[in-house]
Amino acid sequence: MENKDVVVSVKDLHVNFYNNNRCNRVLRGVSFDLKKRDIMCIVGESGCGKSVTANSIMGLLPELSRIESGSIDFYYQGRDIRIDRLKRKGKEMRELRGSGMAMIFQDPMTALNPVFTVGYQINEALMYHNQAKTKKEADQMAVQLLKDMGIPLPQQRVKEYPHQFSGGMCQRAMIAMAMSCRPKVLVADEPTTALDVTIQAQIFELMLELKNNNDTAILLITHDMGVVAELADRVAVMYMGNIVESGEARAILTRPAHPYTKALLDSIPVLGRGKGQKLEPIKGSTPDPYNRPKGCQFAPRCPYATKECETAMPGEQTIEEGHMCRCFHNLLKGEGI
Amino acid sequence: MATYTLRKVLSLIPMMLFISFLIYLGIELMPGDAVDFLIPPDALATMSAEQLNAMRESLGLNDPFLVRYLKWLGGLLQGEFGYSIQSGVPVATLMKNHLPATIELTVTALVFSSVFGVLFGVLSALKKGSLIDQVFSLIGMAGVAIPQFLLGLICINAFALHLNILPAGGRMASAGQSFVERLPYLLMPALVLGFSLTAGVMRYARSSMLDSMGRDYMKTARAKGIPEWRVNLLHGLRTALTPVVVLIGFRLPMLIGGAVVIEEVFQWPGIGSLFVNAVRSQNTPLVMMIGFFSVLLVLISSIIVDIVTAFLDPRIKLS
């Protein structure tokens, strides 16, 4: 272990999906480290592999998919666990899920089972990871968890069903469930996309608080740059199965090196700049995953592309301390970096 | 719940009145009347118009349609089911003699088809695309496609004539015989009927389970780290069960009239053959009574289905 604070280390991860006798190479060499108490954001367009990366860590990839190569190390209770080698539905993986690492999802209204009470669904996590010995103890803990999440009347609320909760409440209940065993890693897959903006802020505040209290590392998947600016310590920008740029949030947001990152930032309206601001949509659309460009995946849409870009995918280059970019023409070159 | 049930039961009354009137009207609209079927054709030729008219008069067939319907209704309200025009036997006695046989047959078939339908359907869903899924699909298709009478005859030929391990038909009177002794008679008709019913439940359970398995909450359950069997059988099956229960619930009316073909093939002395004969000979009191109970069972089943679904799915409110 190079760094004591690293909780999850993903190295050169390749994941393929197999569908109708075709192979979709969804992840094509993803590497990053997730550190204790860090919030790392993965951003990118739909279909670029953000969720797959998250699911790989949780061992929740769909049936017809496989980790082809690379490694995922999870440093937990003094051990180095190779998640990529564990059976997805096996006992070891199951014991990690929910206790060592937990996940919350995009749409809290559908992520809770409609036919069980919220309390019951929280209890399940507590009982299976031996956080509570008896049902009664679990019930009390569930009430306390809901209370910690700022849900009013928790005694009553645990006995209610998800459809009696609002979206924001459901997500709080989901977070309560995820945090019930004090995991080292929380994977949040677009946790606020389905919620009101005002609720969003509350949910993020809650996540921050929990992170600080429990030393949890958070892997936050989003395509909301506002969220990134607000929360992220580190950012990884993904495009077509690769991390094309990663680094400190501030560096990425203020001085993007990869044309794709720049394009993403240029396509977002900025509050307060008025109606006059010019939004630049990214030209074209993401390529068909079964018919990818030969070289750099972004080349066909990139204004800076040259012949070189069509021949090979550029490798990972450290352009400054902690700032990685995969581009032949990184935009900071001009600045002498 | 109690008020809901009470209100539903009360709403049955006007519905039953209306439907019984429709059945009565249906019989009325058929050509001929009971007397035509009461007398053998050769005897009919020798009888005079007065004689026939006197017979009609004595059976009350000369009254206007509405009067006859109201008389029947009045009798029903006093608990008087009337007499079979053909045999003169009280309808109540006929029902009492034939109903147990039919219920015995249909309950066995329903239980069989529900249990195995759900079991195989869930298994198919869990092993989607595997050999076992395809085999079950094939069997299910066969169950739907092969007519009951054909399958019945094939089974009689195989198990009764060639293998000689089961009786070809009939039913042992329930008095004095133990269930085990009577079982061989029940086995073949019940299984043939059950087989054709299984397919529907199976396909339904399979698609419902597949739908449930694709839901987000299944992933949440997995992310919690609970064992796979619990994810599938508790979170998956519990939600998948509701539509299946509705399907099974709406099969309850079969209890009375659902086995006509099978009863004919296996000489099963149930209500099915009684009903067919009664309709054929315009035996109004008998047709009315069997029809009345069938309809009542349909309506009661729908109330039961409502209550059970509200119990299974907390999102559904009885109102």
Side-chain angles (χ1 to χ4, degrees), chain A residues 97 110-111 120-121 124 129, chain B residues 216 220 222 224 230 235:
Chain A
R97 274 201 296 261
T110 59
Y120 179 89
Q121 297 186 55
E124 249 184 343
H129 296 295
Chain B
D216 288 353
T220 310
R222 283 201 182 93
K224 266 191 279 189
R230 196 176 157 95
H235 285 265

Side-chain angles (χ1 to χ4, degrees), chain A residues 72-317:
Chain A
I72 306 170
D73 288 275
F74 180 40
Y75 303 105
Y76 182 57
Q77 295 178 337
R79 290 184 298 153
D80 173 358
I81 302 166
R82 282 289 295 271
I83 285 176
D84 54 301
R85 287 187 186 157
L86 293 182
K87 268 192 184 160
R88 279 180 218 164
K89 291 176 180 174
K91 193 159 176 277
E92 294 118 299
M93 190 69 236
R94 228 173 52 219
E95 276 165 5
L96 287 180
R97 274 201 296 261
S99 65
M101 47 173 75
M103 189 165 182
I104 56 178
F105 300 93
Q106 184 169 354
D107 188 351
M109 303 293 270
T110 59
L112 289 166
N113 194 323
V115 303
F116 296 112
T117 61
V118 171
Y120 179 89
Q121 297 186 55
I122 298 175
N123 281 3
E124 249 184 343
L126 292 168
M127 300 284 277
Y128 267 90
H129 296 295
N130 293 321
Q131 297 286 312
K133 296 275 169 291
T134 61
K135 217 188 144 287
K136 211 171 165 190
E137 201 183 337
D139 283 337
Q140 282 165 355
M141 287 174 81
V143 171
Q144 186 57 43
L145 278 164
L146 286 189
K147 202 171 168 188
D148 293 346
M149 299 303 134
I151 292 181
L153 297 171
Q155 274 95 347
Q156 204 177 311
R157 284 298 192 173
V158 285
K159 289 179 213 135
E160 288 184 355
Y161 291 93
H163 72 276
Q164 290 160 300
F165 278 46
S166 67
M169 291 259 246
C170 276
Q171 196 60 292
R172 282 162 198 263
M174 278 296 293
I175 296 174
M177 197 185 291
M179 298 306 290
S180 62
C181 304
R182 304 188 178 276
K184 287 280 153 270
V185 181
L186 177 67
V187 178
D189 190 352
E190 303 192 30
T192 57
T193 310
L195 302 176
D196 280 352
V197 193
T198 46
I199 308 291
Q200 266 189 28
Q202 294 174 10
I203 296 289
F204 283 133
E205 208 160 292
L206 187 62
M207 283 170 59
L208 273 179
E209 198 185 307
L210 290 168
K211 179 200 85 161
N212 290 331
N213 293 343
N214 299 313
D215 281 351
T216 309
I218 296 178
L219 185 66
L220 179 63
I221 293 169
T222 180
H223 42 226
D224 186 341
M225 282 298 187
V227 170
V228 176
E230 188 76 26
L231 289 173
D233 296 310
R234 294 179 59 78
V235 180
V237 181
M238 284 191 79
Y239 187 77
M240 292 306 285
N242 290 113
I243 293 183
V244 292
E245 183 170 7
S246 71
E248 301 291 324
R250 184 169 250 317
I252 303 261
L253 290 172
T254 53
R255 294 183 302 132
H258 197 281
Y260 179 62
T261 316
K262 187 173 185 303
L264 268 185
L265 291 168
D266 284 345
S267 62
I268 309 161
V270 179
L271 210 62
R273 264 194 215 159
K275 280 184 192 166
Q277 61 183 300
K278 196 164 166 260
L279 297 181
E280 255 340 308
I282 305 178
K283 270 176 275 159
S285 55
T286 46
D288 174 10
Y290 296 109
N291 189 18
R292 290 166 180 266
K294 264 208 195 96
C296 173
Q297 301 292 306
F298 190 57
R301 302 170 74 187
C302 180
Y304 305 91
T306 55
K307 276 247 162 62
E308 194 187 7
C309 301
E310 284 160 27
T311 54
M313 180 76 197
E316 296 188 1
Q317 293 168 313

Side-chain angles (χ1 to χ4, degrees), chain B residues 69-276:
Chain B
Y69 172 68
L70 289 176
K71 267 190 188 165
W72 173 83
L73 198 62
L76 183 71
L77 291 180
Q78 290 163 30
E80 181 59 61
F81 287 8
Y83 297 86
S84 163
I85 293 181
Q86 302 266 260
S87 57
V89 178
V91 170
T93 313
L94 280 174
M95 301 268 289
K96 209 163 65 192
N97 289 343
H98 288 78
L99 203 53
T102 294
I103 288 184
E104 183 178 292
L105 178 62
T106 48
V107 164
T108 316
L110 272 182
V111 170
F112 176 88
S113 64
S114 305
V115 170
F116 285 95
V118 171
L119 196 69
F120 293 160
V122 169
L123 219 60
S124 286
L126 290 177
K127 306 261 171 207
K128 189 188 166 210
S130 69
L131 184 69
I132 200 165
D133 180 27
Q134 282 164 10
V135 168
F136 281 147
S137 285
L138 200 71
I139 295 174
M141 223 114 73
V144 176
I146 302 176
Q148 291 178 3
F149 76 90
L150 185 63
L151 187 64
L153 291 176
I154 293 172
C155 285
I156 291 176
N157 196 9
F159 296 108
L161 296 182
H162 287 281
L163 297 175
N164 203 15
I165 47 174
L166 288 171
R171 174 179 183 250
M172 218 180 250
S174 48
Q177 309 288 342
S178 74
F179 181 70
V180 178
E181 281 176 292
R182 290 190 288 126
L183 190 63
Y185 290 88
L186 174 65
L187 214 52
M188 210 159 32
L191 290 189
V192 170
L193 182 59
F195 181 67
S196 57
L197 290 176
T198 305
V201 181
M202 193 168 90
R203 300 306 293 178
Y204 217 68
R206 180 180 180 272
S207 69
S208 180
M209 185 71 187
L210 280 177
D211 175 56
S212 177
M213 280 162 68
R215 294 300 178 98
D216 288 353
Y217 52 75
M218 295 293 275
K219 201 171 169 191
T220 310
R222 283 201 182 93
K224 266 191 279 189
I226 59 180
E228 193 64 11
W229 66 264
R230 196 176 157 95
V231 173
N232 284 325
L233 294 186
L234 198 83
H235 285 265
L237 185 58
R238 178 68 171 67
T239 15
L241 219 49
T242 316
V244 179
V245 166
V246 173
L247 177 79
I248 294 171
F250 280 118
R251 278 182 169 178
L252 289 181
M254 270 194 35
L255 288 179
I256 288 188
V260 179
V261 175
I262 292 292
E263 286 181 4
E264 287 287 325
V265 171
F266 288 95
Q267 300 293 303
W268 191 259
I271 219 116
S273 45
L274 189 68
F275 188 54
V276 171

